[in-house]
């Protein structure tokens, strides 16, 4: 495509005032748009609660998943011993169950660990911002003292 043709297409698109894509929000006239203030607020208490739920979920899933796996494998072994074809199929289901439980456990651990990291990162950011703002206030006082003389 020639450069002139590209420029022409761009200008035509601007002239047509084509509809723009909107992601994850209503148009402003319908009450959408950014929240008042426009800032994402992270509450440490909320992060901790979500992290704790993920941690508890990990523990509960680990216990329940292991119990289900053991019971299923035992039943599969008994069926195989009795030469039922269902034994092999049930053993296959148990193997898939183990894979799925491991995936869920990994996801819970990832969420919990990430939120712990996020908590620490935000605490560090808050300390840095407080230091910077404190330094600015000190500089402002020095300028105010000079201008008062």
């Amino acid at each position: 495509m020639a450069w002139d043709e590209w420029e022409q297409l761009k200008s035509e698109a601007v002239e047509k005032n084509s509809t723009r894509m909107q992601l994850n929000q209503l148009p402003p006239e319908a009450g959408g748009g950014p929240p008042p203030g426009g800032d994402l607020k992270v509450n440490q208490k909320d992060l901790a609660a979500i992290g704790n739920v993920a941690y508890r979920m990990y523990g509960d899933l680990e216990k329940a998943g292991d119990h289900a796996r053991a019971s299923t494998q035992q039943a599969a072994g008994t069926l195989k011993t009795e030469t039922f074809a269902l034994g092999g199929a049930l053993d296959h289901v148990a193997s898939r169950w183990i894979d799925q439980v491991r995936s869920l456990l990994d996801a819970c651990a990832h969420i919990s660990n990430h939120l712990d990291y996020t908590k620490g990162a935000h605490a560090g950011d808050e300390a840095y911002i407080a230091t910077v703002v404190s330094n600015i206030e000190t500089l402002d006082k020095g300028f105010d003292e000079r201008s008062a003389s």
Side-chain angles (χ1 to χ4, degrees):
M1 178 182 300
W3 185 256
D4 293 335
E5 184 180 2
W6 171 246
E7 290 299 325
Q8 180 184 354
L9 290 171
K10 285 191 335 187
S11 65
E12 287 174 7
V14 170
E15 288 173 13
K16 290 180 185 177
N17 197 11
S18 62
T19 305
R20 294 188 179 111
M21 184 173 17
Q22 296 176 351
L23 299 176
N24 296 330
Q25 67 181 23
L26 293 171
E29 61 274 3
D39 289 332
L40 173 64
K41 295 184 181 181
V42 177
N43 182 323
Q44 296 296 339
K45 186 177 175 184
D46 293 338
L47 287 177
I50 294 168
N52 287 338
V53 168
Y55 181 77
R56 283 195 318 265
M57 189 183 305
Y58 179 93
D60 293 346
L61 180 60
E62 187 175 40
K63 288 176 197 167
D66 191 48
H67 175 73
R69 177 208 47 85
S71 299
T72 306
Q73 284 182 323
Q74 183 180 8
T78 302
L79 288 169
K80 280 182 182 178
T81 303
E82 299 296 325
T83 66
F84 284 99
L86 184 61
L90 194 54
D91 193 43
H92 178 77
V93 168
S95 296
R96 293 296 162 252
W97 174 261
I98 291 167
D99 293 342
Q100 294 302 314
V101 168
R102 283 185 187 145
S103 293
L104 289 171
L105 287 172
D106 288 347
C108 289
H110 179 76
I111 291 167
S112 180
N113 292 340
H114 182 70
L115 289 173
D116 285 344
Y117 169 80
T118 301
K119 249 183 3 182
H122 283 295
D125 291 345
E126 288 294 324
Y128 173 75
I129 291 168
T131 303
V132 169
V133 169
S134 172
N135 290 341
I136 291 171
E137 287 177 12
T138 303
L139 287 172
D140 283 347
K141 286 179 186 175
F143 284 121
D144 290 343
E145 289 172 4
R146 281 193 216 160
S147 61
S149 346

